[in-house]
Amino acid sequence: MDAALYVRPKSWGDLEHFQERLNFLCTQDHALHCHRANGQVCFMPGWSAFAESSEAAVAVQKLGLVWPGTEPVASQVLEKIGFKRICEKVGAPTPPFTVLSEEDCAAVDLTDAAAKEACVQEFMSKVAAMKTTERGLIKSIHGGGGKGTAHLHHPDKPEEVRRAVEKVLTEMNRVDGIYFEQRVNTKGDGRFYQIELEVDGSTVADGGRFVWFNSSLQKVVEIGLSDDKISMFMPQDLYQKARVWSGAIAAEGGNNTRATMEALVFKNEKGEFECQFIECNRRPQVENEALALLQRDEKGNRRYTFAELMMRAKGYPAPTFEPATDASVVLHARWLHGNPNSKGQITYQAGNILGMTGPRLDFVKAELMAPGEISFTSDPQLGKSVITADSWEEMCDNAAKYFSLRRPTVMGASSTYAQTMYNLFTSPKFRAGETASNETFTYLDIPEHSDRGVLNILKDQVSPILVSGYRPGEGIDAERYPTGRVIEGIQEIAENFSKTPPRVTAYTGFARGETPYEDYIKELRGQLERQGGGWVTVAPRDTAQQGNDSESAAVTNVSRTNAEVWAERAGCVGYEIGGAQYQAGLIRGFDPAAILRLGLPYNMPGHSLQRSQYVNGLAELTPEIRSSLFQATAEIVEQHYRPGGGGGLVPWQPYNFHAGNFYDPARNYSPQDDTTGELLEARCVPMPNWVFSPRFPLEACKKWTERQIDLFAQKGLTLHQLRIKNPGQGKDWTPEAIWTHVKTMASVFKEKNLLPPIVYIHNHDFNGTGAHVGAELLQMAQKENFNTLVIDAAYRKNGTHNDNTVLTSALKFTAEQNEALAEYNHNQQIIENVLCRFDSRTSQMTPWDSDWAGGTEGSDIRIAKEYGLDVRKINDAKEIASEVFPLERAVTPFSEYKLRLGIAIMIEPGIEPKSVQAVKDWVNGGGKLKVGGDVLVGLKRWETLVEKPKEVDKLLANMPDELEAALAQQSKLITPADLPASFPAAQRHTALGYQQKGLEFATAQKKGTDLSPLLLAPYVLHAKPKSLAAGTRFQLLVDPLNGSTPRRAEIEFLGFGLAPGAASGAASTGRELVLSYLHEGQVAQVQLPDPEAAVSAAAGSSGPRKATPGNRLEVPTVVPGEMLSYSVKVGDVLKKGQPLCVLESMKMEMKISVPDELDGLIVKDLPCKGRTKEKQGDILAPGDLMLELEEKK
């Protein structure tokens, strides 16, 4: 820059002020004065309407500056009204028009109400004199970009005419050059395409530019097409005529430089194509690159640059152009920040532009984004992007990719614009060329909610947690928040991880699609041979499930990194994730698909627990649902590892098990075999699991192994890996028993001439001996030269699973591996310390010899408290349920069934004492149990190798209505057909895998009601309310992990403060807190009510009240949960056994029936709110009033 000329704010276009500043600068800059005097200073007006003002051109020339645009007289002649008159003269078609005021008419002071009203009346009378009902536009010759234009649908209605005239006068603040123009195609369907042809003098440039705009006629996208592609929107002969007309108009108007002829193309009521010219844009530079990139000069430069225009102003001739060889379609897309609707209206949103984010894309030839505050007083356009392609289809593909990957970084309100533009370019109608210029948004799927920006996330999803805490009032000890040192410790570890990259392994190559699966298996076998076996880390998936109420979601990301960096160096060959981790995460407000993806390691497989046909939840899914779910899951994993696309096997190796190892030879039916086949069909590599039990015969294990080998062979694959799942640590779980099962499996592999299987062992530890059992098992195998055992383990003294230092003492580790193991354990213990509020590791609930692996101590304790039961009696209840209803084994979902059966036994007053015999007597005597429908269905199906006792059928016979309702509920499953077409893989995974709750979650994600952004910041999530230290840095997950590269925002918390004003006093009920954050150099502030402010007395009266004890007309809640719906209405006469209401309790729907003692009473009131699509139902605790009754009158 040679010099800068400063003008006062908001003085653009004020040439008198500009002259003052220019004259001053010339007194300081003698070279500028000399160049100006010699006519060597060019005034470049840019893109504004100022650029095509003949008045501005004259004024600039009077300043001694060179005007590079249209010669002033020609500019005036080619103005909108003059342009239409020229069209009539040269025979170019133009819509009928009526002049309301000439360009040189006398000025009117529009601040004078009387003068303005007289002007409005004059214009209205001229419109009335037209005596037309044809739709049209009131336009000003000084307008542009939608400004100075008003729709007039009914010219015969005075009030509508008034509104249109007043709009134009208000926007332009001048009365000259206003006219009425009839709309085109009014007798046809009203649709049209706007084409723009550029001229230089009277020479027409190659190609045509088509424009799509919103309802305010503001341009949204402009697409330049080479001559041979124009026929997509208009016949070639009409296009050639339009080029001839454009040249004739330019010549007649005396045009001397660049200009754009704008016309509308449409099919009339006879089905014939027409073209009608509407105006000439005379801005001296190219309108945009949508046509400029279609031509090149002899040096390869694109046509129309500012430099070229200034050289021409100096007197140099225009260069000669040829068609470009690298593009025949060019998109000029405008960035707006707002929410479009299907009518084309855009509600613009406030904010501050920081810049652009997203990967570099080679097809983007130019991009502009103006940083700073979004203006509402001038053009709402934020910037632009220019995208090139060789075909219309490729342009649409490139644009869709661009709008999904790149977007402005905005501090402020969010916008649906980017998603809407993505929807436009993926719309079949637009891609077929069937979306007209005036229906850009008409047929689109308009997003209901905006993409959420950083400020939205901080306000709605982060700040409430910092102020009120996560799961307030919950936990083993609700006040045992992590200390400041714990918070600092996990922050330090996370920072250290960023300095130590994980090592590349053979699995990395397979996961990225660079090497085949067999190469990974070969390397894995070699590692196990060298070590004498291996281990898989179950932290935090199992350690937190058993020991921290399944609170592993928020520590998954940092724990996975710990495993990648240190566990892998310590001989670890897998990272366990999923199952209850996903389901519990969903219940707590986290996206299961995001948890899944954040748990996928770089250099080892992520093994997710999968419950056969139940997958991750407790609802049994149909083959149709499972297949779509597995495809969506495979897509998520493949997108993670292979963002550019892939093929071959997907690096997804879930542990697929069935709790009962069920197989019906008569039907050749096994739920586990079915899901293994479906996973293979989805190109995944499942790991079949045999659930251990001394009651399951070895012969069944052998036949099961044969079937698994055959399943893989049917897909052309070799089975390498199996797993034995340990339901607990009963007395029967011994090294000898496990080794017998391993040898049984290995014998089948040997018979089939296969390499020895890699057998994974799942190993709970309730008494401290689990690691010793594992070590002894490894040694047994090594003695028989079997080195392909892999055993679950976790960090030292974790309290729920094998101590990996004891287990790996049986392996041949190097000194470096042992050092890495110690580092891994140290880090993981610090990481899980942040979950201390939910720590149940000191619980005495689970006996040392329990074979119970289902549920978690933390969740069992929580459930017992909800039911008002003695926590220490839960295990007795489960054991009784296991003996009466021996589904075997106690792993999900059977464990969930038994827990619920145990709870039902404990809360049933008719069962005393709480013993096996008392339960049998109750059931055989016709008694019911308060259990969910899923339990009844599970008992009905009895998919286990254990014989069914008579009490099972008797209980089902006692509950026919409840069983029928439960079976009917299965028909209400969410299927792929129920999902919006716009759902990406992540949302399909969540909706199908977790059914109604998953669908509700996926649908609501755009509202910002979930906690998924905090999955990267466990020390923020679990911190004590209002305690996070100023200066704390953390990351946020900015958008769902739905296939694109996840965006992570770097945030620094600046501290808490009080909002100023009268409401900030200590006793004020309206006291507000201000939370301040720093993001990309910008300070963002969020204001929230202080929960510790004085609360009004009325606030304590909300929520369900307690039923009056002993009053039989007030029915109390027995089973805690969410009220879903009532099955009766006010005035109904109750009948014993009929459905009363439906609750959701312990993740299951529970139908409550009318008890015998309420038979004949009348429903007086239904005091609880049921669940709706918008709101959760009332949450009821035992004793809460559920129903009010009255006696028969």
Side-chain angles (χ1 to χ4, degrees), residues 671-696:
Q672 182 189 16
D673 292 0
D674 284 357
T675 47
T676 294
E678 290 157 359
L679 282 161
L680 289 169
E681 187 66 30
R683 299 185 293 118
C684 301
V685 193
M687 189 183 299
N689 279 226
W690 174 263
V691 176
F692 174 87
S693 169
R695 301 179 68 176
F696 295 157

CSV table of all heavy atoms in Angstrom, one decimal, residues 671-696:
chain,number,residue,atom,x,y,z
A,671,PRO,N,-29.9,-66.9,17.8
A,671,PRO,CA,-29.8,-65.4,17.7
A,671,PRO,C,-28.4,-64.9,17.5
A,671,PRO,O,-28.2,-64.0,16.7
A,671,PRO,CB,-30.4,-65.0,19.0
A,671,PRO,CG,-31.2,-66.1,19.5
A,671,PRO,CD,-30.5,-67.3,19.1
A,672,GLN,N,-27.5,-65.5,18.1
A,672,GLN,CA,-26.1,-65.0,18.0
A,672,GLN,C,-25.6,-65.3,16.6
A,672,GLN,O,-24.9,-64.4,16.0
A,672,GLN,CB,-25.2,-65.7,19.0
A,672,GLN,CG,-23.7,-65.2,18.9
A,672,GLN,CD,-22.8,-66.1,19.8
A,672,GLN,OE1,-23.2,-67.2,20.2
A,672,GLN,NE2,-21.6,-65.5,20.1
A,673,ASP,N,-25.8,-66.5,16.0
A,673,ASP,CA,-25.4,-66.8,14.7
A,673,ASP,C,-26.0,-65.8,13.7
A,673,ASP,O,-25.3,-65.4,12.7
A,673,ASP,CB,-25.8,-68.2,14.3
A,673,ASP,CG,-25.0,-69.3,15.1
A,673,ASP,OD1,-24.2,-68.9,16.0
A,673,ASP,OD2,-25.2,-70.5,14.9
A,674,ASP,N,-27.3,-65.5,13.9
A,674,ASP,CA,-27.9,-64.5,13.0
A,674,ASP,C,-27.2,-63.2,13.0
A,674,ASP,O,-26.9,-62.6,11.9
A,674,ASP,CB,-29.4,-64.3,13.4
A,674,ASP,CG,-30.3,-65.5,13.0
A,674,ASP,OD1,-29.8,-66.5,12.4
A,674,ASP,OD2,-31.5,-65.5,13.4
A,675,THR,N,-26.9,-62.7,14.2
A,675,THR,CA,-26.3,-61.3,14.2
A,675,THR,C,-24.8,-61.4,13.8
A,675,THR,O,-24.4,-60.4,13.2
A,675,THR,CB,-26.4,-60.8,15.7
A,675,THR,OG1,-26.0,-61.8,16.6
A,675,THR,CG2,-27.8,-60.3,16.0
A,676,THR,N,-24.2,-62.5,14.0
A,676,THR,CA,-22.8,-62.6,13.5
A,676,THR,C,-22.8,-62.6,11.9
A,676,THR,O,-22.0,-61.9,11.3
A,676,THR,CB,-22.1,-63.9,13.9
A,676,THR,OG1,-22.0,-63.9,15.3
A,676,THR,CG2,-20.8,-64.1,13.2
A,677,GLY,N,-23.8,-63.3,11.3
A,677,GLY,CA,-24.0,-63.2,9.9
A,677,GLY,C,-24.3,-61.9,9.4
A,677,GLY,O,-23.8,-61.4,8.3
A,678,GLU,N,-25.1,-61.1,10.1
A,678,GLU,CA,-25.5,-59.8,9.7
A,678,GLU,C,-24.4,-58.8,9.8
A,678,GLU,O,-24.2,-57.9,8.9
A,678,GLU,CB,-26.7,-59.3,10.5
A,678,GLU,CG,-28.0,-60.0,10.2
A,678,GLU,CD,-29.0,-60.0,11.4
A,678,GLU,OE1,-28.7,-59.4,12.4
A,678,GLU,OE2,-30.1,-60.6,11.2
A,679,LEU,N,-23.6,-59.0,10.8
A,679,LEU,CA,-22.4,-58.1,10.9
A,679,LEU,C,-21.4,-58.4,9.8
A,679,LEU,O,-20.8,-57.5,9.3
A,679,LEU,CB,-21.7,-58.4,12.3
A,679,LEU,CG,-22.4,-57.7,13.5
A,679,LEU,CD1,-22.0,-58.3,14.8
A,679,LEU,CD2,-22.1,-56.2,13.5
A,680,LEU,N,-21.2,-59.7,9.5
A,680,LEU,CA,-20.3,-60.0,8.4
A,680,LEU,C,-20.9,-59.4,7.1
A,680,LEU,O,-20.1,-59.0,6.2
A,680,LEU,CB,-20.2,-61.5,8.3
A,680,LEU,CG,-19.4,-62.2,9.4
A,680,LEU,CD1,-19.5,-63.7,9.3
A,680,LEU,CD2,-17.9,-61.8,9.3
A,681,GLU,N,-22.2,-59.4,6.9
A,681,GLU,CA,-22.8,-58.9,5.7
A,681,GLU,C,-22.5,-57.4,5.6
A,681,GLU,O,-22.4,-56.8,4.5
A,681,GLU,CB,-24.3,-59.1,5.7
A,681,GLU,CG,-25.0,-58.7,4.5
A,681,GLU,CD,-24.6,-59.6,3.3
A,681,GLU,OE1,-24.3,-60.8,3.5
A,681,GLU,OE2,-24.7,-59.1,2.1
A,682,ALA,N,-22.4,-56.7,6.8
A,682,ALA,CA,-22.0,-55.3,6.8
A,682,ALA,C,-20.5,-55.1,6.7
A,682,ALA,O,-20.1,-54.0,6.9
A,682,ALA,CB,-22.6,-54.7,8.1
A,683,ARG,N,-19.8,-56.1,6.4
A,683,ARG,CA,-18.3,-56.1,6.2
A,683,ARG,C,-17.5,-55.9,7.5
A,683,ARG,O,-16.4,-55.5,7.5
A,683,ARG,CB,-17.9,-55.0,5.2
A,683,ARG,CG,-18.5,-55.3,3.8
A,683,ARG,CD,-18.0,-54.2,2.8
A,683,ARG,NE,-18.4,-52.9,3.1
A,683,ARG,CZ,-17.6,-51.9,3.4
A,683,ARG,NH1,-16.3,-52.0,3.4
A,683,ARG,NH2,-18.1,-50.7,3.6
A,684,CYS,N,-18.2,-56.1,8.6
A,684,CYS,CA,-17.5,-56.0,9.9
A,684,CYS,C,-16.9,-57.4,10.2
A,684,CYS,O,-17.1,-58.3,9.5
A,684,CYS,CB,-18.5,-55.6,11.0
A,684,CYS,SG,-19.3,-54.0,10.7
A,685,VAL,N,-16.1,-57.4,11.3
A,685,VAL,CA,-15.4,-58.6,11.7
A,685,VAL,C,-15.7,-58.9,13.2
A,685,VAL,O,-15.0,-58.7,14.1
A,685,VAL,CB,-13.8,-58.5,11.6
A,685,VAL,CG1,-13.2,-59.8,11.7
A,685,VAL,CG2,-13.5,-57.8,10.3
A,686,PRO,N,-16.9,-59.5,13.4
A,686,PRO,CA,-17.4,-59.7,14.8
A,686,PRO,C,-16.5,-60.8,15.4
A,686,PRO,O,-15.9,-61.7,14.7
A,686,PRO,CB,-18.8,-60.2,14.6
A,686,PRO,CG,-18.9,-60.8,13.2
A,686,PRO,CD,-17.9,-59.9,12.4
A,687,MET,N,-16.5,-60.7,16.8
A,687,MET,CA,-15.8,-61.8,17.5
A,687,MET,C,-16.8,-62.6,18.3
A,687,MET,O,-17.4,-62.1,19.3
A,687,MET,CB,-14.8,-61.2,18.5
A,687,MET,CG,-13.9,-62.2,19.1
A,687,MET,SD,-12.7,-61.5,20.4
A,687,MET,CE,-11.8,-60.4,19.4
A,688,PRO,N,-17.1,-63.8,17.8
A,688,PRO,CA,-18.2,-64.6,18.5
A,688,PRO,C,-17.7,-64.9,20.0
A,688,PRO,O,-16.6,-65.2,20.2
A,688,PRO,CB,-18.3,-65.9,17.7
A,688,PRO,CG,-17.7,-65.5,16.3
A,688,PRO,CD,-16.6,-64.5,16.6
A,689,ASN,N,-18.7,-64.9,20.9
A,689,ASN,CA,-18.4,-65.1,22.3
A,689,ASN,C,-19.2,-66.3,22.8
A,689,ASN,O,-20.4,-66.4,22.5
A,689,ASN,CB,-18.9,-63.9,23.1
A,689,ASN,CG,-17.9,-62.8,23.1
A,689,ASN,OD1,-17.6,-62.2,24.2
A,689,ASN,ND2,-17.4,-62.4,22.0
A,690,TRP,N,-18.5,-67.2,23.5
A,690,TRP,CA,-19.2,-68.3,24.2
A,690,TRP,C,-19.3,-67.9,25.7
A,690,TRP,O,-18.3,-67.5,26.3
A,690,TRP,CB,-18.4,-69.6,24.1
A,690,TRP,CG,-18.9,-70.7,25.0
A,690,TRP,CD1,-18.5,-71.0,26.2
A,690,TRP,CD2,-20.0,-71.6,24.6
A,690,TRP,NE1,-19.3,-72.1,26.7
A,690,TRP,CE2,-20.2,-72.4,25.7
A,690,TRP,CE3,-20.8,-71.7,23.5
A,690,TRP,CZ2,-21.2,-73.4,25.7
A,690,TRP,CZ3,-21.8,-72.7,23.5
A,690,TRP,CH2,-21.9,-73.5,24.6
A,691,VAL,N,-20.6,-67.9,26.2
A,691,VAL,CA,-20.8,-67.5,27.6
A,691,VAL,C,-20.5,-68.7,28.5
A,691,VAL,O,-21.2,-69.8,28.3
A,691,VAL,CB,-22.2,-66.9,27.8
A,691,VAL,CG1,-22.5,-66.6,29.3
A,691,VAL,CG2,-22.4,-65.7,27.0
A,692,PHE,N,-19.6,-68.5,29.4
A,692,PHE,CA,-19.2,-69.7,30.3
A,692,PHE,C,-20.2,-70.0,31.3
A,692,PHE,O,-20.8,-69.1,32.0
A,692,PHE,CB,-17.9,-69.3,31.0
A,692,PHE,CG,-17.4,-70.3,32.0
A,692,PHE,CD1,-16.6,-71.4,31.6
A,692,PHE,CD2,-17.7,-70.2,33.3
A,692,PHE,CE1,-16.2,-72.3,32.5
A,692,PHE,CE2,-17.3,-71.1,34.2
A,692,PHE,CZ,-16.6,-72.2,33.8
A,693,SER,N,-20.5,-71.3,31.5
A,693,SER,CA,-21.3,-71.8,32.6
A,693,SER,C,-21.0,-73.3,32.7
A,693,SER,O,-21.0,-74.0,31.7
A,693,SER,CB,-22.8,-71.5,32.4
A,693,SER,OG,-23.5,-72.3,33.3
A,694,PRO,N,-20.9,-73.8,33.9
A,694,PRO,CA,-20.7,-75.3,34.0
A,694,PRO,C,-22.0,-76.0,33.6
A,694,PRO,O,-22.0,-77.2,33.4
A,694,PRO,CB,-20.4,-75.5,35.5
A,694,PRO,CG,-21.0,-74.3,36.2
A,694,PRO,CD,-20.8,-73.2,35.2
A,695,ARG,N,-23.1,-75.3,33.5
A,695,ARG,CA,-24.4,-75.9,33.1
A,695,ARG,C,-24.5,-76.0,31.6
A,695,ARG,O,-25.4,-76.6,31.0
A,695,ARG,CB,-25.5,-75.2,33.7
A,695,ARG,CG,-25.5,-75.1,35.2
A,695,ARG,CD,-26.7,-74.3,35.8
A,695,ARG,NE,-28.0,-75.0,35.5
A,695,ARG,CZ,-29.1,-74.6,36.0
A,695,ARG,NH1,-29.2,-73.5,36.7
A,695,ARG,NH2,-30.2,-75.3,35.7
A,696,PHE,N,-23.6,-75.4,30.8
A,696,PHE,CA,-23.6,-75.4,29.4
A,696,PHE,C,-22.6,-76.5,29.0
A,696,PHE,O,-21.4,-76.4,29.2
A,696,PHE,CB,-23.2,-74.1,28.8
A,696,PHE,CG,-24.2,-73.0,29.0
A,696,PHE,CD1,-23.8,-71.7,29.0
A,696,PHE,CD2,-25.5,-73.3,29.3
A,696,PHE,CE1,-24.7,-70.6,29.2
A,696,PHE,CE2,-26.4,-72.2,29.5
A,696,PHE,CZ,-26.0,-70.9,29.5
